[in-house]
Amino acid sequence: MSEKKRRAGAAAAGAASSSKKPRAAASYAESLRSKLRPDASILATLRSLASASASSSKSKAAAKSLADHDPSADPTSSYIVVADQDSSSVTSRINRLVLAAARSILSGRGFSFAVPSRAASNQVYLPDLDRIVLVRRESARPFANVATARKATVTARVLSLVHAVLRRGIHVTKRDLFYTDVKLFGDQSQSDAVLDDVSCMLGCTRSSLHVVASEKGVVVGRLVFADDGDRIDCTRMGVGGKAIPPNIDRVSGIESDALFILLVEKDAAFMRLAEDRFYNRFPCIILTAKGQPDVATRLFLRRLKVELKLPVLALVDSDPYGLKILSVYMCGSKNMSYDSANLTTPDIKWLGVRPSDLDKYRVPEQCRLPMTDHDIKVGKELLEEDFVKQNEGWVKELETMLRTRQKAEIQALSSFGFQYLTEVYLPLKLQQEDWI
Amino acid sequence: MSEKKRRAGAAAAGAASSSKKPRAAASYAESLRSKLRPDASILATLRSLASASASSSKSKAAAKSLADHDPSADPTSSYIVVADQDSSSVTSRINRLVLAAARSILSGRGFSFAVPSRAASNQVYLPDLDRIVLVRRESARPFANVATARKATVTARVLSLVHAVLRRGIHVTKRDLFYTDVKLFGDQSQSDAVLDDVSCMLGCTRSSLHVVASEKGVVVGRLVFADDGDRIDCTRMGVGGKAIPPNIDRVSGIESDALFILLVEKDAAFMRLAEDRFYNRFPCIILTAKGQPDVATRLFLRRLKVELKLPVLALVDSDPYGLKILSVYMCGSKNMSYDSANLTTPDIKWLGVRPSDLDKYRVPEQCRLPMTDHDIKVGKELLEEDFVKQNEGWVKELETMLRTRQKAEIQALSSFGFQYLTEVYLPLKLQQEDWI
């Protein structure tokens, strides 16, 4: 039925375009449609991509043993990489900390927490791991010191609250945590900061502490998973899609016959892909965080990538911000660096819309936008970033963007017809293996 | 199983609270738990609320015949109330407009559009309809006039684009529409404005034109519906919930055994309700737009209310902004006034968190926030609004807020325990029929 729908759409598109006045760009864009090979041939390309991704995941997993060895548990390691832990493991880590504090008090030495530094100067990018991590550098937070007594108390309180949340098997937000003891915390930035300290102290991710962020991502396509025990079939989620759950540890039973994951920057493009049921023509999982990626969507993408070993292709705007979004998915953001191992999805391919596409697809001049001074500044900064520098193709594209001083949104492709994205642009990209 | 889960949670809550140091507010809050009658008794209350709502919907439907009579089709009516129309009806309205233009041209008079004014001065609140509507006042937009030639061209182009979208049976965003002819439209505010004109000219809602807004709402609970033909069971949507579809006309087959709809301002409270499966204890449909209501969520709520005839209870922050959000759901916003009939859900009950709850539930002082000058200004403006004035209870609450100059978030209830909201506060509210 979806095949039928698609053909009907294509026929209508043909009719619509033939009734248009001939314009150079539009007719060239339409001529690209004839370059499309049969879907079976494009699918063969995608199948080899998927199997290559599965085998490279294996070899990379062997190379990236630092994270697997859980260095957080090893105080002699020079880096802190926090890891996902189950509730009972986190609970026993808290118990060990509290027991140590109690022993210290009983022996007359009072108590003190050893808190890892999360300062920017303490963050490094490890090329081997392709991630930002924390250098191990701890400071003491003694209770019997005027300067740190309050913070030590707050730390003890947060540990006890996290313990209670884990024992009850529920999830709460940072805001909930703050409101349980406003008098002590004063304002939310304090309980948030100590929560991050606790996460580093325990060597577990914030989601392992059952403190979750609000989700804004959605997913559709060839994916089945269980959300808190409910089986979700993402091919049957209509146009709206399934909201990505805020608590990743309630996600289980991930299954898929997709050949790739399509990561989309914006919800308008997501809606087009969902309505056209793009995933039925080219088996894929489509997800978006609707702009700046939130923690829940990043965790979800990583989980899909790790379990399904599928290639991830990204569709973002052709501007520095689009690339910045890719960098957050791939390398993490500076303020969550210690958690980067669990939030990042390395090896995302930049499918489009790339600066070189603007000329290649003859996107009309009036659909391109001039870059602002701020855009140019951000673009130049990105050229200095390690994750860009290590990919020659990305450097070239970024240089093209900065040279032409032009940017364009995914929606600019609508100038060739509302369904040009799903009917011509993406199929042709996939056919030509045009990702970098 | 959910009953079991709930009891386990309640037991854990008891244990947690007994281990706390006794504090006046907390122990009083806990004492309220003993006031709770068995669920069966609360359910009986809710059943009578639901049946009262169903019968009052009938009588109100009779009274509110203005909207039902589709005055947009009647040029002698003094108000414009646009209505939902199916694609074929919109298409034929466009055809009639274009045919009239063609005849006018052939008779040598050129062509001109009659465009209703959407100015604020042209908007009135009709108490009978409980809605903001447009006074019928049209201005001519002739093509053969230097001042209006460009706008007449844009109008013709938008009509033709909408026609193409409807013929293909797809949905597009405002941004997509803009990008199809950037050269003509110049910037998006122009195509957006003309789209609203076209909506008024044709007497149909923007969603009838298949131009949709991005969705950010989610829903869980006792609701089954079809999203683009896919059957969605919202009791099996885990903690994340189902994303509300952007295109309401693809929603069909709405079924529910819920007794009420619980409208939640924020996603943190939504998450708590979803994780605790509140809807299994008290059959309800829970939805949130995650803050300021978007068009898709408003359309969805209205659709649920109209089809299921269920009472709608709202859980918002105790601040002027919470009330402002209720007003958008109930009366529409000024800039979409002409569309208000199809976007608004009258008769929403204010369940909580109300200013009087702060003392009633002894919310600790440190969990209340002082109102800012801006808050107070907005609060005073709300006191002058018709939709507040006609509800004596709301006036009193708002006066309490302005007198005490205190506000509080839903999350403030977390100071009595993370699950106080779902285990004590809401059940007690429902038991005491404490909504206004």
Side-chain angles (χ1 to χ4, degrees):
Chain A
M1 196 193 88
S2 105
E3 179 66 14
K4 208 173 121 192
K5 264 192 194 172
R6 189 180 64 73
R7 280 173 200 277
S17 64
S18 65
S19 68
K20 256 185 199 163
K21 276 180 214 160
R23 279 191 246 166
S27 66
Y28 173 76
E30 210 40 51
S31 75
L32 292 180
R33 196 185 288 273
S34 64
K35 282 201 184 175
L36 282 174
R37 292 199 308 263
D39 285 2
S41 145
I42 303 178
L43 288 172
T45 307
L46 293 172
R47 256 178 233 117
S48 57
L49 170 70
S51 62
S53 173
S55 57
S56 90
S57 293
K58 268 175 224 157
S59 61
K60 268 183 197 152
K64 296 193 177 182
S65 53
L66 175 51
D68 299 330
H69 276 111
D70 186 11
S72 66
D74 169 19
T76 61
S77 160
S78 35
Y79 301 115
I80 293 178
V81 184
V82 301
D84 268 324
Q85 303 287 342
D86 61 24
S87 318
S88 67
S89 151
V90 179
T91 309
S92 63
R93 281 172 191 224
I94 296 177
N95 290 344
R96 277 205 295 274
L97 262 186
V98 174
L99 206 62
R103 283 208 187 104
S104 171
I105 293 165
L106 289 173
S107 69
R109 285 175 290 123
F111 79 95
S112 174
F113 295 113
V115 183
S117 157
R118 294 181 288 105
S121 59
N122 209 25
Q123 307 184 353
V124 288
Y125 171 80
L126 289 193
D128 278 1
L129 284 178
D130 194 18
R131 272 180 214 139
I132 298 163
V133 295
L134 279 185
V135 176
R136 181 173 296 276
R137 192 172 294 141
E138 287 164 343
S139 62
R141 189 175 285 174
F143 178 66
N145 183 318
V146 179
T148 52
R150 222 190 126 267
K151 234 171 172 183
T153 312
V154 170
T155 309
R157 181 81 172 120
V158 167
L159 280 168
S160 117
L161 287 171
V162 167
H163 195 267
V165 166
L166 291 169
R167 209 178 42 181
R168 298 178 75 166
I170 61 171
H171 295 76
V172 299
T173 62
K174 285 177 168 184
R175 192 89 183 136
D176 286 322
L177 209 67
F178 161 67
Y179 267 117
T180 52
D181 206 339
V182 177
K183 209 168 203 164
L184 174 63
F185 298 140
D187 69 88
Q188 200 190 326
S189 64
Q190 298 199 32
S191 52
D192 285 0
V194 169
L195 187 70
D196 287 343
D197 289 341
V198 163
S199 174
C200 293
M201 284 162 62
L202 298 173
C204 28
T205 58
R206 202 181 67 206
S207 55
S208 305
L209 304 179
H210 282 204
V211 181
V212 299
S214 71
E215 94 283 11
K216 58 187 181 105
V218 282
V219 60
V220 289
R222 305 286 270 254
L223 173 69
V224 172
F225 69 97
D227 177 357
D228 197 22
D230 294 334
R231 190 175 177 277
I232 311 289
D233 180 350
C234 296
T235 61
R236 300 178 184 282
M237 284 294 131
V239 179
K242 170 72 178 87
I244 291 175
N247 20 20
I248 192 74
D249 56 306
R250 296 243 158 143
V251 170
S252 58
I254 293 174
E255 289 168 41
S256 175
D257 66 347
L259 297 174
F260 62 98
I261 296 168
L262 186 58
L263 185 63
V264 179
E265 176 177 345
K266 285 183 175 166
D267 46 349
F270 178 89
M271 197 198 80
R272 177 82 278 119
L273 291 158
E275 188 170 65
D276 293 354
R277 308 244 172 188
F278 186 74
Y279 50 84
N280 283 340
R281 184 168 169 198
F282 302 108
C284 63
I285 301 166
I286 305 168
L287 67 140
T288 182
K290 302 182 182 176
Q292 188 63 29
D294 55 322
V295 171
T297 307
R298 289 161 65 195
L299 285 168
F300 193 75
L301 174 65
R302 182 182 161 80
R303 188 70 183 278
L304 292 185
K305 168 86 177 164
V306 166
E307 293 207 9
L308 300 172
K309 298 180 177 54
L310 288 174
V312 182
L313 306 178
L315 178 65
V316 296
D317 286 346
S318 176
D319 60 22
Y321 194 71
L323 210 54
K324 199 108 190 149
I325 282 176
L326 282 191
S327 88
V328 172
Y329 279 114
M330 289 176 69
C331 314
S333 63
K334 285 272 178 190
N335 57 355
M336 291 284 281
S337 63
Y338 66 90
D339 206 348
S340 65
N342 311 282
L343 284 170
T344 55
T345 305
D347 197 28
I348 295 178
K349 304 288 187 204
W350 189 6
L351 185 70
V353 177
R354 300 205 306 269
S356 62
D357 287 345
L358 304 192
D359 282 346
K360 192 175 164 196
Y361 288 84
R362 299 193 193 167
V363 172
E365 280 298 324
Q366 64 267 27
C367 295
R368 309 180 188 191
L369 302 164
M371 287 173 79
T372 64
D373 289 347
H374 181 71
D375 288 337
I376 291 165
K377 185 171 159 282
V378 174
K380 283 182 178 160
E381 282 165 8
L382 279 169
L383 267 183
E384 300 304 312
E385 295 269 354
D386 291 319
F387 91 100
V388 172
K389 275 198 259 179
Q390 69 189 11
N391 189 327
E392 208 183 318
W394 290 32
V395 173
K396 273 190 197 156
E397 290 286 1
L398 198 50
E399 282 171 352
T400 302
M401 191 195 297
L402 288 167
R403 195 182 59 245
T404 59
R405 303 205 160 202
Q406 285 183 326
K407 58 181 182 177
E409 297 179 39
I410 304 171
Q411 270 82 6
L413 295 167
S414 295
S415 58
F416 303 128
F418 294 119
Q419 289 169 300
Y420 193 77
L421 174 73
T422 50
E423 290 176 357
V424 181
Y425 179 79
L426 285 177
L428 202 58
K429 280 260 165 190
L430 296 176
Q431 172 179 313
Q432 298 176 339
E433 303 179 54
D434 186 14
W435 51 74
I436 54 176
Chain B
M1 197 193 85
S2 105
E3 179 66 12
K4 208 173 121 193
K5 262 192 196 172
R6 190 179 64 73
R7 281 173 199 277
S17 65
S18 66
S19 69
K20 256 186 199 164
K21 276 181 215 162
R23 279 191 247 166
S27 67
Y28 172 76
E30 209 41 47
S31 76
L32 292 179
R33 195 185 288 273
S34 65
K35 283 201 184 175
L36 282 174
R37 293 199 307 265
D39 286 2
S41 148
I42 303 177
L43 288 171
T45 308
L46 293 172
R47 257 177 232 117
S48 57
L49 170 70
S51 62
S53 172
S55 56
S56 92
S57 291
K58 268 174 222 155
S59 60
K60 267 181 198 153
K64 296 193 178 181
S65 52
L66 176 51
D68 299 330
H69 276 110
D70 186 10
S72 64
D74 169 19
T76 61
S77 160
S78 33
Y79 299 114
I80 293 177
V81 184
V82 301
D84 268 324
Q85 304 287 342
D86 61 23
S87 321
S88 66
S89 152
V90 179
T91 310
S92 62
R93 281 171 192 224
I94 296 176
N95 289 345
R96 278 204 297 273
L97 262 185
V98 173
L99 207 61
R103 282 205 187 103
S104 171
I105 294 165
L106 288 173
S107 69
R109 286 175 289 124
F111 79 96
S112 173
F113 295 112
V115 183
S117 157
R118 294 180 289 105
S121 59
N122 209 26
Q123 306 184 356
V124 288
Y125 171 80
L126 289 192
D128 278 1
L129 283 179
D130 193 18
R131 272 181 216 138
I132 299 164
V133 295
L134 278 185
V135 176
R136 181 173 295 276
R137 192 172 296 140
E138 287 165 344
S139 62
R141 189 175 285 175
F143 179 67
N145 182 319
V146 179
T148 52
R150 223 191 125 265
K151 232 168 174 187
T153 313
V154 170
T155 309
R157 181 79 173 122
V158 168
L159 279 168
S160 116
L161 287 172
V162 167
H163 195 267
V165 166
L166 291 168
R167 208 177 44 178
R168 298 180 75 165
I170 61 171
H171 296 75
V172 299
T173 62
K174 285 177 166 184
R175 193 89 184 135
D176 286 324
L177 209 67
F178 162 67
Y179 267 117
T180 51
D181 207 338
V182 177
K183 209 167 203 163
L184 174 63
F185 298 140
D187 69 89
Q188 200 189 328
S189 66
Q190 298 198 31
S191 53
D192 285 359
V194 169
L195 186 70
D196 287 343
D197 290 341
V198 163
S199 176
C200 293
M201 284 163 60
L202 298 173
C204 27
T205 58
R206 201 180 69 205
S207 56
S208 304
L209 304 179
H210 281 205
V211 180
V212 299
S214 71
E215 95 284 11
K216 58 189 181 104
V218 282
V219 59
V220 288
R222 306 286 271 252
L223 172 69
V224 172
F225 69 97
D227 176 357
D228 196 22
D230 294 335
R231 190 174 177 277
I232 310 289
D233 180 350
C234 296
T235 62
R236 299 178 184 284
M237 284 294 131
V239 179
K242 170 72 178 88
I244 290 175
N247 20 19
I248 192 75
D249 57 305
R250 296 243 158 144
V251 170
S252 57
I254 293 174
E255 288 169 41
S256 176
D257 66 347
L259 296 174
F260 62 99
I261 296 168
L262 186 58
L263 186 63
V264 179
E265 176 177 344
K266 284 181 176 167
D267 46 349
F270 177 89
M271 198 197 80
R272 177 82 278 118
L273 291 157
E275 188 171 62
D276 292 355
R277 308 247 172 185
F278 186 74
Y279 50 85
N280 282 340
R281 184 169 170 196
F282 301 108
C284 63
I285 300 167
I286 304 168
L287 67 140
T288 182
K290 301 182 181 176
Q292 188 62 30
D294 56 321
V295 170
T297 306
R298 290 162 65 193
L299 286 168
F300 193 73
L301 174 65
R302 182 182 160 80
R303 188 72 182 277
L304 292 185
K305 168 86 177 164
V306 167
E307 294 207 8
L308 301 172
K309 298 183 178 51
L310 289 175
V312 181
L313 306 178
L315 178 65
V316 296
D317 286 346
S318 177
D319 60 22
Y321 194 70
L323 209 55
K324 199 103 193 156
I325 282 177
L326 282 191
S327 90
V328 172
Y329 279 114
M330 289 177 70
C331 315
S333 62
K334 286 274 177 189
N335 57 356
M336 290 284 281
S337 62
Y338 67 90
D339 208 348
S340 64
N342 311 281
L343 283 170
T344 56
T345 306
D347 197 28
I348 295 177
K349 304 289 186 203
W350 190 6
L351 185 69
V353 176
R354 300 205 306 269
S356 63
D357 287 345
L358 304 193
D359 283 346
K360 192 174 165 197
Y361 287 84
R362 300 197 192 165
V363 172
E365 280 298 325
Q366 64 266 27
C367 295
R368 310 180 187 190
L369 303 164
M371 288 172 76
T372 64
D373 291 345
H374 181 72
D375 287 337
I376 291 166
K377 185 171 159 279
V378 174
K380 283 182 179 162
E381 283 166 5
L382 279 169
L383 266 182
E384 300 303 313
E385 295 269 354
D386 292 319
F387 91 100
V388 172
K389 276 199 261 180
Q390 69 189 11
N391 189 327
E392 207 183 317
W394 289 32
V395 172
K396 273 191 196 156
E397 290 286 1
L398 198 49
E399 283 171 351
T400 303
M401 191 195 296
L402 288 167
R403 195 183 59 246
T404 59
R405 304 207 160 201
Q406 285 183 326
K407 57 181 183 177
E409 296 179 38
I410 304 170
Q411 270 83 4
L413 296 167
S414 295
S415 58
F416 303 128
F418 294 120
Q419 288 170 301
Y420 193 78
L421 174 74
T422 50
E423 289 176 356
V424 181
Y425 179 79
L426 286 177
L428 202 58
K429 280 261 165 189
L430 296 175
Q431 172 179 312
Q432 298 177 340
E433 303 180 53
D434 186 13
W435 51 73
I436 54 175

